[in-house]
């Protein structure tokens, strides 16, 4: 049965939802408050990461957050501020950061990531988007110290135990794998299960395909209210008009909490800002990596190498903090002594806001209070990786099909 579906949010999750919904024969409209050329879906590291099995809300993160709170260049930064929503979120984050909850989350994160990895491949094989950058070279976790090596080895053992492909590399083996780049590291763990893409390329080609397929895409249009009738959303009100709907998908990233409040739905969510620097010079880097001690992501993309990092909780803003950009640049040289990021490259840095739930799991599913509202947000650092899987799940929910995996743990109504 064809439905009139309105998607609020034109990032990777919103566009993938539109992709699979139009495949099911629905009439789809996508709204986004931006011009759809920037933001988290464009500045992320482009990782497809089954290896990221540990949610951010894990034992030890609260103490690290407090330790780093007053350090503006730390990888994980919480700006001190009086904000009751942030206080509540922080308390829920604390309650979620237990070994028991992490152990429950690990198989779910693995399953949805593997689903998404295959869907990326399906999209490529379909030819719908034409050719786009998609590689499966894995992810190197580069470390300098024994402390970081030991920490990541514990994660790697868990990943290996649940069937993910992992290799332990000493410096000699690492140099054979990356012969054209000088690395000041002790060794690496290679998660061979991972892949990577070039986000800007994928997003641009997805928008072109959706428009050709009849999906209506309206950038620079902001949702300002909802008109309700009998427990359902009857109309979505924007700054440019009203839309009568059968179904609504809330995929508006870090803005999802504010929109949820307009319909009296409490959705604990905080914006986690990340930064990226593109280097369009040869670097010799051919395999994605994370610089463990610095928490910086490195990705060889179509026309440049991208260096991305930080998780900054400072509210919804896109302010570029020069000290945080400099911290990324310094970390790069610390791990790759021959790579010096220049002032022009640092000046062109961009930021994006990741929507972070308190327990590190996304919100995917129907809202109990409102019959025709489906949530698709809260993916934190895995938004890019989980875009296709989330879109597929959303299409199954709205099309009343069998859901491809158990999504109870992703419920927007869950308690923290």
């Amino acid at each position: 049965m064809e439905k009139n579906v309105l998607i609020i949010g034109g990032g990777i999750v919103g566009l993938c939802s539109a992709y699979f919904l139009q495949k099911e024969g629905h009439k789809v409209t996508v709204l986004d408050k931006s011009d759809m050329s920037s933001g988290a879906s464009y500045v992320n590291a482009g990782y497809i990461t089954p290896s990221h099995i540990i949610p951010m809300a894990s034992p030890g993160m609260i103490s690290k957050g407090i330790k780093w709170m007053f350090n503006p260049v730390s990888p994980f930064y919480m700006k001190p501020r009086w904000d009751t929503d942030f206080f509540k979120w922080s308390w829920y984050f604390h309650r979620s950061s237990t070994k028991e909850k992490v152990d429950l989350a690990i198989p779910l994160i693995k399953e949805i990531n593997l689903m998404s990895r295959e869907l990326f491949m399906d999209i490529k094989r379909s030819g719908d988007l034409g050719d786009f950058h998609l590689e499966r070279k894995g992810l190197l976790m580069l470390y300098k110290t024994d402390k970081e090596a030991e920490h990541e080895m514990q994660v790697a053992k868990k990943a290996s135990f649940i069937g993910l492909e992992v290799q332990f590399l000493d410096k000699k083996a690492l140099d054979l794998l990356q012969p054209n780049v000088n690395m000041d590291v002790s060794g690496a763990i290679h998660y061979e299960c991972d892949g990577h893409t070039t986000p800007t390329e994928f997003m641009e080609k997805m928008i072109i395909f959706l428009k050709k397929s009849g999906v209506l895409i309206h950038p620079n249009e902001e949702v300002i209210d909802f008109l309700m009738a009998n427990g359902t959303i009857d109309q979505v009100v924007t700054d440019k008009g009203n839309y009568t709907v059968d179904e609504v998908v809330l995929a508006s990233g870090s803005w999802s909490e504010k929109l949820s409040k307009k319909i009296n739905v409490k959705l604990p969510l905080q914006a986690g800002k990340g930064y990226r620097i593109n280097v369009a010079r040869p670097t010799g880097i051919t395999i994605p990596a994370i610089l463990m001690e610095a928490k910086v992501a490195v990705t060889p993309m179509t026309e440049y190498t991208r260096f991305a990092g930080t998780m900054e909780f400072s509210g919804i803003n896109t302010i570029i903090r020069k000290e945080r950009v400099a911290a990324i640049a310094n970390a790069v040289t610390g791990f790759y002594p021959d790579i010096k990021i220049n002032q022009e490259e640092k000046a062109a840095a961009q930021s994006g806001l990741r929507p972070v739930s308190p327990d590190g799991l996304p919100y995917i599913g129907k809202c109990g209070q409102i019959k025709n509202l489906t949530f698709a947000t809260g993916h934190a650092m895995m938004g890019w990786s989980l875009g296709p899987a989330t879109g597929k799940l959303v299409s199954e929910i709205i099309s009343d099909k069998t859901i491809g995996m158990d999504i109870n743990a992703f419920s927007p109504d869950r308690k923290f």
Side-chain angles (χ1 to χ4, degrees), residues 117 136-139 164-167 190-195:
R117 187 184 72 183
R136 172 94 175 271
K137 291 185 175 180
L139 177 66
L164 298 175
E165 305 92 340
V166 184
Q167 294 291 332
H190 189 196
Y191 290 100
E192 297 175 331
C193 50
D194 289 8

Side-chain angles (χ1 to χ4, degrees), residues 27-315:
K27 181 181 177 183
V28 183
T29 301
V30 178
L31 304 180
D32 197 281
K33 63 185 297 184
S34 75
D35 65 1
M36 297 176 66
S37 66
S38 61
S41 292
Y42 293 84
V43 305
N44 67 85
Y47 290 165
I48 302 165
T49 51
S51 69
H52 280 33
I53 55 173
I54 307 297
M56 192 174 71
S58 58
M61 282 305 296
I62 289 294
S63 59
K64 285 182 180 179
I66 294 172
K67 176 183 175 183
W68 287 335
M69 184 176 286
F70 299 101
N71 180 0
V73 298
S74 64
F76 183 85
Y77 174 57
M78 293 184 177
K79 180 182 179 181
R81 65 189 191 276
W82 187 266
D83 182 331
T84 55
D85 288 333
F86 181 63
F87 294 153
K88 289 178 183 177
W89 180 92
S90 299
W91 173 242
Y92 296 151
F93 185 96
H94 169 71
R95 291 183 54 160
S96 300
S97 300
T98 67
K99 181 182 181 300
E100 293 74 20
K101 291 188 176 181
V102 169
D103 288 344
L104 290 173
I106 285 173
L108 297 169
I109 295 172
K110 172 201 169 185
E111 183 179 359
I112 192 171
N113 265 289
L114 288 176
M115 177 194 298
S116 215
R117 187 184 72 183
E118 294 312 304
L119 289 169
F120 267 112
M121 289 300 302
D122 288 347
I123 293 170
K124 188 173 179 70
R125 283 190 289 262
S126 73
D128 288 340
L129 276 60
D131 189 31
F132 63 88
H133 177 221
L134 176 62
E135 293 188 86
R136 172 94 175 271
K137 291 185 175 180
L139 177 66
L140 295 169
M141 307 297 286
L142 302 177
Y143 56 82
K144 289 174 172 284
T145 62
D146 291 342
K147 181 180 178 181
E148 284 297 332
E150 184 179 347
H151 170 77
E152 191 59 33
M153 281 178 186
Q154 295 304 313
V155 177
K157 287 175 183 176
K158 291 181 180 180
S160 181
F161 180 76
I162 61 175
L164 298 175
E165 305 92 340
V166 184
Q167 294 291 332
F168 299 87
L169 307 176
D170 59 17
K171 184 61 163 60
K172 183 177 179 181
L174 183 58
D175 287 340
L176 289 172
L177 200 61
Q178 288 277 257
N180 298 317
V181 59
N182 177 25
M183 292 173 284
D184 182 9
V185 299
S186 298
I189 293 169
H190 189 196
Y191 290 100
E192 297 175 331
C193 50
D194 289 8
H196 70 287
T197 62
T198 300
T200 50
E201 180 187 43
F202 182 90
M203 292 292 286
E204 289 166 4
K205 293 191 173 187
M206 178 62 86
I207 290 170
I208 291 169
F209 171 76
L210 292 175
K211 287 180 177 179
K212 287 182 178 178
S213 302
V215 174
L216 301 178
I217 298 179
H218 299 295
N220 300 308
E221 186 164 357
E222 183 174 1
V223 173
I224 56 176
D225 208 352
F226 301 89
L227 300 181
M228 306 290 296
N230 301 317
T232 64
I233 298 172
D234 183 52
Q235 291 186 53
V236 175
V237 181
T238 77
D239 55 358
K240 295 183 179 178
N242 289 20
Y243 293 84
T244 301
V245 297
D246 296 320
E247 297 278 350
V248 175
V249 178
L250 188 57
S252 48
S254 296
W255 289 265
S256 299
E257 182 186 37
K258 289 188 174 182
L259 286 173
S260 297
K261 286 181 177 179
K262 294 181 181 295
I263 42 180
N264 297 316
V265 174
K266 294 180 180 179
L267 192 76
L269 199 69
Q270 285 292 311
K273 188 192 297 181
Y275 296 79
R276 72 96 176 110
I277 303 170
N278 290 341
V279 173
R281 298 174 277 117
T283 62
I285 298 169
T286 59
I287 300 175
I290 290 181
L291 315 182
M292 290 294 297
E293 284 81 359
K295 304 295 184 288
V296 169
V298 182
T299 316
M301 296 186 180
T302 300
E303 297 178 349
Y304 41 77
T305 303
R306 174 166 290 179
F307 301 96
T310 83
M311 178 64 83
E312 174 189 322
F313 292 100
S314 58

Side-chain angles (χ1 to χ4, degrees), residues 13 52 55-56 105 108-110 112-113 250 267-269 355-365 375-383 385-387 389-390 393-394 405-414 416:
V13 172
H52 280 33
M56 192 174 71
L108 297 169
I109 295 172
K110 172 201 169 185
I112 192 171
N113 265 289
L250 188 57
L267 192 76
L269 199 69
V356 186
S357 70
D359 60 3
L361 297 178
Y363 295 113
I364 305 173
F375 282 89
T377 188
H379 297 76
M381 293 179 291
M382 291 185 288
S385 186
L386 301 184
T390 303
L393 292 168
V394 165
M405 67 173 288
D406 185 352
I407 61 171
N408 286 327
F410 305 149
S411 170
D413 294 327
R414 66 185 183 268
F416 297 100

